[in-house]
Amino acid sequence: MAKPSPADRKYTKEHEWALDRRDGVVTMGITDHAQELLTDIVYVELPKIGNKVKQMETVAVVESVKSVSDVYSPVSGEVVEVNSRLESEPELINKDAFGEGWIARIRMDQPAELNHLMDASGYEAMIKETAH
């Protein structure tokens, strides 16, 4: 059973999360619900540092034993850091999707974009709705 989505971050309909660090940078990854749907993650294609990304464009790719899935950027901006541990330990996303399994940090071009994302209760309600 997926862990509840932490209330300190924002969520996309495609199951990404964004944690605003209050310094103009967000940490992002995929939700616990998403990693549960994917099952065992075997490879993560990380973005390159310096890449410019637009909100809801592909920023990374996650490969599981079941499928290959695009990971979408929750905000527009520049990739300033990636979780290079995922190159040798992609299963960190399965173990700790909201913590050590983070994917990238993005310096936001337009912090107001966070207002277009769901809060934890909205995301949880969306999951429940799509489960039926």
Side-chain angles (χ1 to χ4, degrees), residues 30 38-48 60-71 85-94 103:
I30 64 170
L38 288 166
T39 67
D40 297 335
I41 294 170
V42 294
Y43 177 74
V44 180
E45 185 182 310
L46 294 167
K48 300 228 179 320
V61 177
V62 173
E63 199 173 309
S64 73
V65 292
K66 269 206 231 172
S67 65
V68 176
S69 299
D70 287 339
V71 177
R85 283 183 65 195
L86 296 177
E87 291 171 341
S88 59
E89 301 174 80
E91 68 279 1
L92 281 174
I93 294 175
N94 293 118
I103 293 172

Side-chain angles (χ1 to χ4, degrees), residues 14-25:
E14 285 73 25
H15 309 290
E16 289 86 17
W17 57 264
L19 177 62
D20 186 357
R21 301 181 345 168
R22 306 271 183 249
D23 60 357
V25 174

Side-chain angles (χ1 to χ4, degrees), residues 51-59 71-79 106 109-110 113:
N51 271 13
K52 291 282 192 189
V53 293
K54 293 228 177 298
Q55 187 176 41
M56 300 321 298
E57 282 186 359
T58 302
V59 66
V71 177
Y72 301 98
S73 181
V75 294
S76 301
E78 180 183 345
V79 176
I106 300 167
D109 287 344
Q110 302 162 38
E113 286 178 336

